[in-house]
């Protein structure tokens, strides 16, 4: 069913030819000084869903450090839905599920901070969380009517990142912009720097108010662990890539690398496309049992250099489907160029300097093979099915 819906959506995007950037970005970005580059970290949802507890979260903190992920830039460790107690405290304060977090959220937050990481949590503008609506998780822990109180609680717990998820809040009379802006203001009033990540539905078109309200916003429904989902999300996000800029980012959802549903080539493409899109990089797998090959992909220096570039300008399409050539300007007069082969057989992909709009002499380095050299007339490579190549081009004087 899900596949059918995605296929239909995909067909619509293809038919309408919405593959190029559509002009200048609107509105000022939220001025909280945060997320000047796309946030990086880990989130519990893709791998654990509702099944989280303090031991798993601490294990992830340990693994983030042990695997060098923190040092590579993955700093926010975010606990998604299903941390909440069924009821608020008598004074109306939010509190945690005592079986899952017997030592309490403040202690967990201290642990995460002691590892040099930052702490993220999950909340909702309506009466209930998604898991409380769709998965039978007990309680009604949404922030409606408690926004300032909950923001103060988060700040007191040492929260550095809040994922605020719509989840049918319209059923409780909440209006999108007002609901999300209320928590933005409540977070600001705490005086604690807290990255603000929102998920409104439907995710597109991107309303003008997003950048003034949030540091990042979801561009599609939930990702799942398959090439079909990764490719579909990239296709839905590229046409709106121009909305991203420092402090305000499109969020095509968390990574699935390491969860088993993507082969090596597809994992490389996932990392390449997210880096070209200047996407937040939230790992979504069990870091304790991460394979060296997957670790190498998510720690790839050149891919991270592209993703985290301080210009914060996401890619646009130069040509192609089912083979994409994308280009993204970088600081230091460099450019990122990517090839992605969405087809099911290997394909030779090429692009000339002229097609890229580049004059003069350029050298290239490819991120995942380490291949480097001068760009002659064209950049060309045979790319395996579902695979990608990611190049950084530097000018030769
Ligand atoms: C969804 C959201 C997921 C996850 C889930 C939790 O709305 O897109 O990323 O947060 O809710 O229930």
């Amino acid at each position: 069913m899900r596949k059918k819906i995605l296929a239909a959506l995909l067909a619509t995007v293809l038919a309408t030819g919405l593959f190029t950037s559509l002009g200048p970005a609107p509105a000022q970005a939220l001025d909280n000084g945060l997320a000047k580059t796309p946030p990086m970290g880990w989130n519990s949802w893709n791998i654990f869903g509702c099944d989280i507890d303090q031991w798993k979260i601490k294990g992830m903190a340990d693994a983030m450090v042990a695997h060098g992920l923190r040092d590579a830039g993955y700093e926010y460790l975010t606990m998604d839905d299903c941390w909440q107690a069924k009821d608020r405290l008598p004074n109306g304060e939010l509190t945690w599920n005592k079986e899952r977090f017997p030592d309490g959220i403040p202690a967990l937050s201290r642990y995460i901070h002691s590892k040099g990481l930052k702490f993220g949590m999950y909340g909702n503008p309506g009466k209930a969380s998604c898991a409380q609506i769709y998965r039978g998780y007990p309680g009604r822990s949404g922030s409606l009517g408690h926004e300032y109180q909950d923001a103060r609680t988060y700040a007191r717990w040492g929260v550095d990142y809040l994922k605020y998820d719509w989840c049918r809040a319209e059923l409780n009379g909440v209006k999108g912009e007002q609901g999300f802006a209320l928590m933005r203001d409540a977070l600001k009033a705490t005086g604690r720097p807290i990255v603000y990540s929102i998920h409104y539905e439907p995710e597109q078109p991107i309303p003008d108010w997003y950048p003034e309200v949030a540091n990042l916003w979801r561009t599609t429904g939930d990702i799942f662990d398959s090439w079909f989902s990764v490719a579909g999300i990239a296709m839905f996000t590229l046409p709106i890539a121009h909305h991203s800029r420092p402090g305000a980012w499109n969020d095509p959802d968390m990574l699935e690398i390491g969860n088993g549903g993507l082969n090596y080539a597809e994992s490389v493409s996932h990392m390449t496309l997210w880096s070209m899109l200047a996407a937040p990089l939230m790992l979504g797998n069990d870091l304790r049992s991460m394979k060296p090959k997957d670790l190498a992909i998510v720690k790839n220096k050149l891919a991270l250099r592209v993703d985290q570039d301080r210009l914060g300008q996401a890619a646009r399409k130069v040509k192609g489907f089912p083979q994409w050539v994308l280009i993204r300007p970088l600081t230091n007069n460099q450019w990122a160029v990517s090839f992605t082969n969405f087809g099911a057989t290997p394909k030779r992909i090429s692009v000339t300097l002229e097609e890229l709009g580049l004059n003069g002499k350029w050298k290239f380095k490819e991120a995942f093979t380490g291949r480097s050299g001068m760009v002659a007339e064209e950049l060309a490579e045979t790319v395996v099915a579902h695979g990608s190549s990611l190049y950084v081009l530097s000018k030769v004087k």
Side-chain angles (χ1 to χ4, degrees):
M1 188 61 197
R2 226 174 172 184
K3 280 198 173 172
K4 270 195 183 149
I5 295 171
L6 258 176
L9 290 172
L10 196 56
T12 314
V13 175
L14 285 171
T16 49
L18 278 173
F19 275 112
T20 40
S21 293
L22 297 175
Q28 285 287 301
L30 168 62
D31 189 20
N32 64 1
L34 300 171
K36 290 296 180 203
T37 63
M40 293 170 60
W42 179 88
N43 173 296
S44 56
W45 188 254
N46 284 358
I47 176 73
F48 296 128
C50 209
D51 195 14
I52 51 170
D53 58 46
Q54 66 180 41
W55 300 279
K56 281 181 180 153
I57 302 292
K58 282 175 146 179
M60 290 313 133
D62 295 343
M64 276 169 97
V65 178
H67 290 322
L69 288 162
R70 177 198 62 193
D71 294 343
Y74 293 91
E75 59 175 342
Y76 291 98
L77 197 167
T78 297
M79 213 158 63
D80 209 284
D81 208 348
C82 305
W83 61 267
Q84 312 91 330
K86 181 171 171 294
D87 297 307
R88 287 175 177 266
L89 296 173
N91 65 1
E93 247 175 48
L94 269 179
T95 190
W96 55 88
N97 179 318
K98 301 282 179 297
E99 270 113 62
R100 294 173 169 214
F101 301 93
D103 297 329
I105 297 289
L108 185 58
S109 170
R110 281 195 295 279
Y111 187 82
I112 289 167
H113 286 121
S114 78
K115 297 276 165 183
L117 296 164
K118 291 183 172 147
F119 181 42
M121 287 195 77
Y122 171 95
N124 311 83
K127 286 189 182 165
S129 80
C130 281
Q132 288 168 337
I133 296 177
Y134 299 122
R135 291 171 186 254
Y137 187 76
R140 284 283 174 271
S141 316
S143 288
L144 185 59
H146 293 272
E147 291 84 359
Y148 277 77
Q149 183 179 31
D150 290 354
R152 283 195 300 275
T153 304
Y154 290 138
R156 205 176 66 237
W157 290 348
V159 169
D160 306 296
Y161 181 109
L162 179 67
K163 174 172 171 180
Y164 206 50
D165 194 10
W166 184 247
C167 269
R168 308 305 311 273
E170 77 278 8
L171 298 179
N172 310 128
V174 182
K175 298 262 185 298
E177 181 173 2
Q178 286 94 323
F180 284 114
L182 190 54
M183 183 51 87
R184 170 201 61 192
D185 296 341
L187 292 174
K188 186 172 182 199
T190 68
R192 186 177 173 87
I194 300 176
V195 172
Y196 189 35
S197 153
I198 65 168
H199 180 192
Y200 187 34
E201 288 163 316
E203 291 83 2
Q204 291 196 34
I206 303 294
D208 284 349
W209 52 264
Y210 272 9
E212 292 168 22
V213 168
N215 295 116
L216 57 152
W217 52 81
R218 284 277 295 278
T219 58
T220 67
D222 288 6
I223 197 166
F224 51 100
D225 188 16
S226 79
W227 172 242
F228 187 80
S229 172
V230 168
I233 288 180
M235 287 174 200
F236 279 106
T237 305
L238 183 64
I240 54 161
H242 58 280
H243 286 278
S244 284
R245 88 263 339 227
W249 307 100
N250 280 323
D251 174 12
D253 211 0
M254 292 126 7
L255 298 171
E256 291 284 7
I257 296 167
N259 282 335
L262 303 174
N263 65 27
Y264 179 76
E266 293 164 348
S267 301
V268 164
S269 285
H270 194 359
M271 189 70 185
T272 297
L273 291 165
W274 265 234
S275 299
M276 290 301 281
L277 289 168
L281 296 176
M282 293 293 163
L283 302 164
N285 62 314
D286 190 339
L287 305 176
R288 298 168 300 187
S289 52
M290 214 168 162
K291 295 203 180 83
K293 269 190 157 185
D294 293 326
L295 204 50
I297 294 172
V298 303
K299 284 171 67 178
N300 185 285
K301 284 214 167 74
L302 223 51
L304 293 176
R305 184 260 178 274
V306 172
D307 182 76
Q308 294 292 301
D309 185 78
R310 299 198 79 83
L311 270 186
Q313 204 173 314
R316 66 180 173 79
K317 198 181 65 144
V318 178
K319 62 176 179 178
F321 190 81
Q323 284 81 39
W324 268 2
V325 177
L326 307 183
I327 187 163
R328 174 178 177 184
L330 304 175
T331 50
N332 299 333
N333 196 22
Q334 291 182 312
W335 294 82
V337 174
S338 69
F339 293 168
T340 299
N341 178 9
F342 290 97
T345 53
K347 274 273 157 21
R348 185 174 183 277
I349 306 180
S350 66
V351 68
T352 62
L353 286 173
E354 195 182 345
E355 286 172 308
L356 293 171
L358 301 179
N359 297 316
K361 287 199 161 108
W362 296 82
K363 58 182 181 178
F364 72 90
K365 180 155 190 199
E366 203 284 326
F368 297 95
T369 58
R371 205 162 72 82
S372 62
M374 288 296 295
V375 185
E377 285 290 279
E378 59 174 25
L379 197 57
E381 184 135 0
T382 299
V383 181
V384 297
H386 301 176
S388 288
S389 299
L390 173 60
Y391 309 92
V392 171
L393 270 52
S394 315
K395 186 119 197 203
V396 180
K397 295 197 176 88

